[in-house]
Amino acid sequence: MTDSHPQARPQTADLADPLYYLANMETVVTWVAGHHADLLTQDECDRLAAFGNLSVSARALLTRMVMRTGELFRLDKFKYPELPDSEARALMELGTRGWLEDNPELTLDDLFRLFTLAELRPAFAATLKSLGHPSGLPKGRMKALLAGEFPDPRPVSKWLGHDRHPVVRLRYMALFDRVRLMFFGNLRQSWSDFVLVELGYQQYETVPLSPRSRAFHDRGDVDCYLVMHQCREQLDAGVAAPDVWGQVPDPADNAWLASRRDRLLLELGRQAERQGEPELALEALAGSHHREARLKQLRLLERMKRFDEAWAIARNWHDQDLSDAEAQGLGRLLKRLSKKVGEPAPPLDDTPVPETFTLILPEPGPVEWLVQQHLTTDECPVVYVENTLINGLFGLLCWEVIFTPMPGAFFHPFHVGPADLTREDFVSRRRDLLEACFRQLDTDAYRDTILTTWRRKQGLANPFVHWQVLSGPLLEMALHCIPPVHLKVLFRRLLANLKEHRSGFPDLIRFVPDHPEPAQRYEMIEVKGPGDRLQDHQRRWLAFFDRQGIAARVCHVRWQEPEFGP
């Protein structure tokens, strides 16, 4: 990935290097310091520069600490033989340079997390005895009994009466979390997602990055994300939804942050309902523009018996563009609500029954492979493609659009695809570019675009393209047999909900390349073994095929009964 800064492309570490994790951490720190320096304070920039001035052993040990959970560490647990110098020498350097706090105060929770039951029992035996309890209690029970007796933090020597197991606190973890956020674009990914992997096994598209394409426009954007992350962590920890609600930031002008806020409000609404706060749940869901929020809001209104209110919202929503899953859920809800409000339910699209056929095969085995082998002929080859072919054709046609550096789409040089791929505004932000791609389907230009992209981008990571399946002969056959008008409607449905519609395609495609009618040169075949049934997203694709005149069938496989002699 290139950028507007005069820096060399970051290199990936080799796992054969015992300090590969340090090389990857240095890539992260260097990238953030070079691309986001304006979002850091001077003290933070100085501290990152100081990281680079440490010895190799000190940098490596600091990296190991950053990657571990929490800020507190027992020094006797450090065993890193790959360090050029001893752990003790690296620790001394880190302490002298201000990275570590010696002898920090520990809460009771900290103490019980860091030390074993065998180490804790002698220290608290007398206290437990005075409380009328034996010293041989389980760890969790012991901590619960001691919580009221020891509310204040203290150094480990005051807890355990000795300092044989010294503890240090790593300073600047908040800075490393900020660095991790600006590199990944989220705090869901841990350091191990980057630092402990070999990134070189995959080739990445080169995306031109500039300050204009960044998700974070200023330091306030980073702060806003961090506050929302803290809110989500509190919800996950079971904090009362009303307490979290007061901390949720106001709507942001930054579209990328706005989508994150929508997700937070969706989760807050869920938690509020579970905690018996339905009014707060309604307010949170109404404030979220996440695609799942409105249906959850309507179902909650229904459970609260506020049928007229739910009906009015649902009827208005019914007239808007919906994904198949939304339309199905809304249709079922309107049918129920219509009985409560005395109104006729809007007509629902009848779901057609898919065409089926049955094959009786001689012995159990991988059903898709057996059906493929049974049906394929020299004149009509059958290929196992499932979700790879249509997705792959889309990915090749729209490659340049997928890797356009929209704000919040790419954060570093190692993206398989845009970070906003399944976000609600992925399409709307690229609509003009996508329409330009689709106009190629009105001429023969799309064939050259797809084939040229397949040759030029061979092996580069793309969230839609599976190179091991999308061979040249398959691509040529698909472009000959699948009419462009079909590709256009398939791609448009794909974009209606990328999170949902990228899966559910039939297992097999049967090509009939010599058929005189272009629309009859292929058919999709979904394979179901004994006892297997169609899933909802598969039914929706089959219904779509039926509406669009795309040939598709379901093959039910039965095993041939063994023959027994007389």
Side-chain angles (χ1 to χ4, degrees):
M1 186 176 293
T2 59
D3 62 273
S4 60
H5 299 75
Q7 287 184 230
R9 178 181 172 87
Q11 299 299 308
T12 57
D14 183 353
L15 289 183
D17 178 2
L19 295 176
Y20 71 94
Y21 59 88
L22 173 58
N24 282 338
M25 176 61 88
E26 289 170 340
T27 292
V28 174
V29 171
T30 302
W31 179 264
V32 171
H35 294 259
H36 300 291
D38 59 313
L39 307 184
L40 299 168
T41 66
Q42 188 59 52
D43 286 344
E44 289 168 341
C45 290
D46 292 344
R47 183 50 58 176
L48 293 182
F51 173 82
N53 292 327
L54 293 169
S55 69
V56 171
S57 294
R59 291 202 308 275
L61 183 57
L62 181 59
T63 297
R64 285 291 194 184
M65 297 172 77
V66 169
M67 288 161 48
R68 289 169 61 171
T69 301
E71 301 177 351
L72 295 166
F73 303 94
R74 287 177 55 166
L75 301 189
D76 60 315
K77 297 297 183 180
F78 285 160
K79 306 293 182 191
Y80 298 116
E82 75 276 8
L83 299 184
D85 299 316
S86 68
E87 293 93 339
R89 185 170 180 176
L91 284 166
M92 182 178 296
E93 181 180 350
L94 291 174
T96 302
R97 298 290 186 91
W99 290 95
L100 302 178
E101 175 189 350
D102 291 327
N103 203 28
E105 292 192 335
L106 312 182
T107 66
L108 189 70
D109 284 342
D110 294 331
L111 189 74
F112 272 66
R113 182 175 60 81
L114 289 170
F115 291 90
T116 67
L117 186 57
E119 292 169 323
L120 295 167
R121 276 176 173 165
F124 294 107
T127 302
L128 290 171
K129 183 178 180 180
S130 69
L131 295 173
H133 298 285
S135 60
L137 293 173
K139 198 173 186 180
R141 176 63 176 157
M142 184 191 300
K143 187 175 74 169
L145 291 171
L146 295 171
E149 302 296 316
F150 300 99
D152 299 322
R154 57 180 69 179
V156 65
S157 58
K158 298 294 185 182
W159 281 115
L160 302 182
H162 56 76
D163 57 356
R164 288 182 300 146
H165 302 301
V167 174
V168 296
R169 184 188 303 277
L170 175 61
R171 292 173 170 159
Y172 306 106
M173 271 302 295
L175 171 59
F176 280 103
D177 283 340
R178 190 176 287 265
V179 167
R180 178 161 59 99
L181 171 59
M182 288 187 285
F183 185 82
F184 285 121
N186 64 76
L187 287 173
R188 180 187 68 259
Q189 290 176 271
S190 67
W191 285 109
S192 61
D193 291 326
F194 182 89
V195 175
L196 287 181
V197 299
E198 184 178 21
L199 297 170
Y201 79 95
Q202 203 160 218
Q203 295 178 281
Y204 302 90
E205 176 60 287
T206 300
V207 178
L209 292 181
S210 69
R212 292 171 54 192
S213 65
R214 297 189 310 186
F216 301 112
H217 303 317
D218 53 47
R219 186 177 177 86
D221 287 346
V222 183
D223 293 338
C224 179
Y225 186 103
L226 291 169
V227 170
M228 290 192 288
H229 178 72
Q230 292 169 1
C231 289
R232 182 57 191 263
E233 285 190 320
Q234 291 179 50
L235 289 174
D236 292 342
V239 174
D243 294 338
V244 179
W245 175 249
Q247 303 174 50
V248 176
D250 293 334
D253 292 334
N254 184 316
W256 182 75
L257 287 176
S259 73
R260 294 284 175 169
R261 185 176 184 274
D262 289 339
R263 294 183 187 183
L264 173 62
L265 292 182
L266 174 68
E267 183 58 29
L268 196 150
R270 288 171 172 162
Q271 295 283 34
E273 184 181 2
R274 294 190 191 109
Q275 296 172 7
E277 300 280 352
E279 294 296 338
L280 175 57
L282 285 176
E283 188 174 358
L285 292 172
S288 173
H289 296 92
H290 193 279
R291 70 169 73 251
E292 299 178 24
R294 190 174 303 185
L295 199 55
K296 291 185 179 298
Q297 176 194 12
L298 292 174
R299 287 170 176 161
L300 178 54
L301 286 169
E302 182 185 23
R303 287 191 290 274
M304 295 171 69
K305 302 188 185 303
R306 291 162 60 169
F307 303 122
D308 290 330
E309 188 176 347
W311 175 261
I313 296 173
R315 286 295 288 120
N316 178 62
W317 189 30
H318 182 260
D319 297 329
Q320 301 176 23
D321 290 334
L322 306 174
S323 71
D324 288 353
E326 290 172 324
Q328 184 182 65
L330 181 60
R332 292 169 178 170
L333 183 73
L334 283 168
K335 185 176 180 180
R336 296 193 303 270
L337 288 174
S338 65
K339 299 175 183 178
K340 302 295 184 181
V341 299
E343 296 283 352
L348 301 178
D349 292 334
D350 292 331
T351 301
V353 177
E355 183 180 346
T356 65
F357 67 101
T358 300
L359 285 181
I360 301 176
L361 300 178
E363 61 182 18
V367 289
E368 296 88 357
W369 183 82
L370 290 172
V371 173
Q372 177 194 7
Q373 295 299 306
H374 182 86
L375 295 179
T376 196
T377 66
D378 291 340
E379 296 78 16
C380 300
V382 178
V383 185
Y384 176 74
V385 293
E386 198 174 15
N387 300 314
T388 59
L389 180 57
I390 302 304
N391 278 299
L393 291 170
F394 170 80
L396 292 172
L397 178 66
C398 300
W399 189 289
E400 299 302 327
V401 180
I402 293 167
F403 290 99
T404 297
M406 296 287 184
F410 298 94
F411 293 84
H412 53 75
F414 309 104
H415 278 284
V416 171
D420 65 337
L421 184 64
T422 58
R423 208 173 75 187
E424 284 71 16
D425 62 350
F426 175 84
V427 174
S428 62
R429 296 206 297 162
R430 300 164 173 83
R431 192 173 303 281
D432 291 344
L433 297 173
L434 289 166
E435 290 300 326
C437 284
F438 291 169
R439 281 195 291 273
Q440 296 182 55
L441 293 163
D442 298 330
T443 68
D444 285 336
Y446 76 97
R447 296 173 183 267
D448 182 63
T449 296
I450 289 174
L451 291 171
T452 300
T453 303
W454 183 84
R455 288 189 294 267
R456 289 180 54 240
K457 303 295 185 179
Q458 190 70 218
L460 293 182
N462 181 309
F464 296 94
V465 179
H466 296 265
W467 294 107
Q468 65 273 27
V469 177
L470 208 61
S471 66
L474 172 60
L475 201 60
E476 294 277 4
M477 181 68 75
L479 291 175
H480 172 70
C481 293
I482 304 176
V485 64
H486 286 184
L487 290 177
K488 183 180 287 190
V489 296
L490 288 166
F491 294 166
R492 288 196 185 282
R493 183 180 190 272
L494 189 64
L495 289 173
N497 188 333
L498 279 169
K499 183 177 182 180
E500 175 188 324
H501 294 169
R502 280 195 293 170
S503 62
F505 287 96
D507 301 299
L508 308 177
I509 185 167
R510 177 174 176 266
F511 293 114
V512 191
D514 294 332
H515 199 287
E517 293 293 330
Q520 300 300 315
R521 289 177 184 165
Y522 76 105
E523 69 168 334
M524 307 277 200
I525 301 174
E526 175 64 32
V527 179
K528 291 298 175 187
D532 197 5
R533 297 186 300 176
L534 289 171
Q535 301 176 36
D536 280 349
H537 66 311
Q538 293 172 330
R539 292 183 183 277
R540 289 192 284 266
W541 266 117
L542 290 167
F544 176 82
F545 296 150
D546 183 80
R547 292 193 298 271
Q548 299 297 329
I550 296 174
R553 293 187 290 167
V554 179
C555 173
H556 293 283
V557 174
R558 290 168 48 194
W559 303 125
Q560 183 176 326
E561 296 292 336
E563 296 182 5
F564 297 97

